[in-house]
Amino acid sequence: MPRTQTARLMDGTGLARRILETTTATAADIRRRTGSSPCLATVLVGEDPASVTYVRMKRARCEKAGIESRHVALPASVSTAGLVETITALSEDPTVHGILLQHPVGPHIDERAAFEAIAPAKDVDGVTMHSFAAMGFGLPGFVSCTPGGIMRLLDEYDVDLTGKHAVVVGRSAILGKPAGLLLLGRDATVTYCHSRTADLPSIVRQADVLIAAVGKPRFIAGADIKPGAVVIDAGYNAGNVGDVDFDTALDRASLITPVPGGVGPMTIAVLLAQTVEAATRQLGVG
Amino acid sequence: MPRTQTARLMDGTGLARRILETTTATAADIRRRTGSSPCLATVLVGEDPASVTYVRMKRARCEKAGIESRHVALPASVSTAGLVETITALSEDPTVHGILLQHPVGPHIDERAAFEAIAPAKDVDGVTMHSFAAMGFGLPGFVSCTPGGIMRLLDEYDVDLTGKHAVVVGRSAILGKPAGLLLLGRDATVTYCHSRTADLPSIVRQADVLIAAVGKPRFIAGADIKPGAVVIDAGYNAGNVGDVDFDTALDRASLITPVPGGVGPMTIAVLLAQTVEAATRQLGVG
């Protein structure tokens, strides 16, 4: 088959860099005007190597952007009550502007109770019930970072969403579900697919905008992508492989995010941007 | 065209009656065991005739079920702060178990602020951000009454939702959006359509389960209904007309709700059932 089209790449690395430049400048401005730096509290339960690495990366990126990070490491044995108490104290601490609870937190902990101890004004990771409903109702609030990054990418590439059919594959609480609500809020027709969906390819083929957020390597075949579709691959699987079969999708999509370098860098950029936004409000320098 | 099929009617009137019988019995049991009746506070702002009628109907149904109703009528001129204060007092009043704010409340009032003054434990109408997120995350909580009624109807008629394509036409905060989240929580593939959807008939035709919640008389043509589909008409328009063209849909659907007598009676039944559930918890008689 002749190559009819080669998709344009959506450069998440470049957009994330620009967001972080703005964020860094705003953080410096806050420091100059108030004498205080924006501060993100990171809470880690246990020593899961992947979680340790994620938190370290986030803290390093904070430092580079002039955002203070305050790290709270709790033993894997901490109780739900102990974790809630720690997070509640951070919610009440006026020198902390954003709170990130690294998850998973371990099966013996009520993760929802822990998340709900984060004050909505400090929920810069967009994990609370309040933030979820705000996304659903189009109210002011912080968004879940990966869906927020996806929306910024779509806007950066001037993707018109009104009336378009957006198909979200995956329905996690911090990715698929909020992504669908944000797309609905932008007047897309939204379909949620998941592991129980009866005929996934028939629905994927209808997608003007496809959000793959399922965590299975090359799960979506290029042949199932509608010609001209915008493909957002939020999957990140072993070996730098996304949820979409990139090579075959390249010939069908009009725009596509590479893995890595697409959605990945956006998540942390949104986290830091929201932290600085939280600090701006809490310090009254808006 | 020969009639290939005539849909079975989903009898909301009968199911609502059975729910109300159980609710009445539970209310009597609570009264016997605690000396207190379950109590629903109804808050009405202004004198909009339709709102006055709705509240009167709800209160009459409460009385019949042995649920005390405490009515608070506020002038149309009440401020957001005044309304929030009233609702907060009801949230803190241990003799009130459920709170219903009749909406709309008037354009000068921040309706969301008023809703959020309802304690989640008393949000028997399912309008708070907490209740919305609970529906989205499959957590315990009260559901919006009409979507809750729809789910009970689907269960009553043993409609298997797993992997089925449910199409929700309409995306209001108390009907379309929560209905979609509840269906997603039951493993349906869910599509949200609305006024900006590009080609509505092509999506409606895919629906194994169709939820019409758009408020436009006979907006959905029978010819667009997939043969064998389950059709839930949550529309209620002037002249007892639903959102679906009932007569033509009857030949295509396998199950369909009539208007009236389908979804309509379910809403109030769920409201009262949730009020008694709230009282059961708050009075510790669970």
Side-chain angles (χ1 to χ4, degrees), chain B residues 12-98:
Chain B
T13 304
L15 178 56
R17 189 191 312 116
R18 292 194 294 284
I19 291 170
L20 288 169
E21 283 167 6
T22 305
T23 298
T24 305
T26 308
D29 187 53
I30 290 173
R31 206 162 37 251
R32 199 162 43 240
R33 292 168 68 180
T34 69
S36 306
S37 291
C39 174
L40 174 69
T42 54
V43 180
L44 177 64
V45 175
E47 296 173 352
D48 172 67
S51 292
V52 169
T53 302
Y54 286 136
V55 169
R56 189 184 300 135
M57 278 172 49
K58 289 168 186 170
R59 297 190 69 208
R61 205 64 203 69
C62 278
E63 193 184 341
K64 208 170 151 194
I67 296 172
E68 189 189 327
S69 79
R70 184 179 311 176
H71 188 54
V72 181
L74 296 170
S77 61
V78 71
S79 66
T80 297
L83 178 56
V84 164
E85 194 182 337
T86 297
I87 295 173
T88 302
L90 294 169
S91 286
E92 290 168 356
D93 183 339
T95 66
V96 168
H97 308 114

Side-chain angles (χ1 to χ4, degrees), chain B residues 39-219:
Chain B
C39 174
L40 174 69
T42 54
V43 180
L44 177 64
V45 175
E47 296 173 352
D48 172 67
S51 292
V52 169
T53 302
Y54 286 136
V55 169
R56 189 184 300 135
M57 278 172 49
K58 289 168 186 170
R59 297 190 69 208
R61 205 64 203 69
C62 278
E63 193 184 341
K64 208 170 151 194
I67 296 172
E68 189 189 327
S69 79
R70 184 179 311 176
H71 188 54
V72 181
L74 296 170
S77 61
V78 71
S79 66
T80 297
L83 178 56
V84 164
E85 194 182 337
T86 297
I87 295 173
T88 302
L90 294 169
S91 286
E92 290 168 356
D93 183 339
T95 66
V96 168
H97 308 114
I99 300 170
L100 171 98
L101 170 62
Q102 184 67 39
H103 45 113
V105 290
H108 68 292
I109 289 177
D110 179 347
E111 183 176 87
R112 179 47 50 195
F115 280 149
E116 293 309 308
I118 300 172
K122 300 188 180 183
D123 181 24
V124 295
D125 201 24
V127 296
T128 60
M129 295 170 79
H130 184 278
S131 295
F132 181 80
M135 288 183 273
F137 293 159
L139 294 171
F142 293 116
V143 298
S144 305
C145 292
T146 304
I150 290 170
M151 299 309 290
R152 286 181 186 236
L153 267 172
L154 291 169
D155 285 341
E156 178 71 9
Y157 287 86
D158 291 325
V159 176
D160 178 22
L161 295 167
T162 303
K164 296 300 191 307
H165 195 164
V167 173
V168 180
V169 187
R171 54 172 165 170
S172 72
I174 57 162
L175 179 38
K177 272 181 195 162
L181 291 176
L182 292 173
L183 290 160
L184 185 59
R186 294 284 297 277
D187 292 333
T189 299
V190 173
T191 298
Y192 286 107
C193 299
H194 45 79
S195 57
R196 311 304 295 267
T197 293
D199 183 2
L200 182 65
S202 76
I203 294 175
V204 168
R205 275 181 221 123
Q206 300 175 43
D208 301 307
V209 177
L210 178 68
I211 314 287
V214 68
K216 297 182 184 171
R218 297 192 187 93
F219 183 65

Side-chain angles (χ1 to χ4, degrees), chain A residues 185-210:
Chain A
R186 295 285 296 278
D187 292 332
T189 300
V190 173
T191 298
Y192 286 106
C193 299
H194 46 80
S195 57
R196 311 303 294 267
T197 292
D199 183 1
L200 182 65
S202 77
I203 294 175
V204 168
R205 275 181 221 123
Q206 300 175 44
D208 300 307
V209 177
L210 177 69

Side-chain angles (χ1 to χ4, degrees), chain B residues 238-262:
Chain B
N240 276 346
V241 173
D243 288 350
V244 175
D245 184 25
F246 184 79
D247 290 342
T248 57
L250 209 53
D251 289 346
R252 309 271 289 187
S254 61
L255 283 165
I256 188 169
T257 56
V259 176

Side-chain angles (χ1 to χ4, degrees), chain A residues 234-261:
Chain A
Y236 185 74
N237 307 292
N240 276 346
V241 173
D243 288 350
V244 175
D245 185 25
F246 184 79
D247 291 342
T248 57
L250 209 53
D251 289 346
R252 309 270 289 187
S254 61
L255 284 164
I256 188 169
T257 56
V259 176

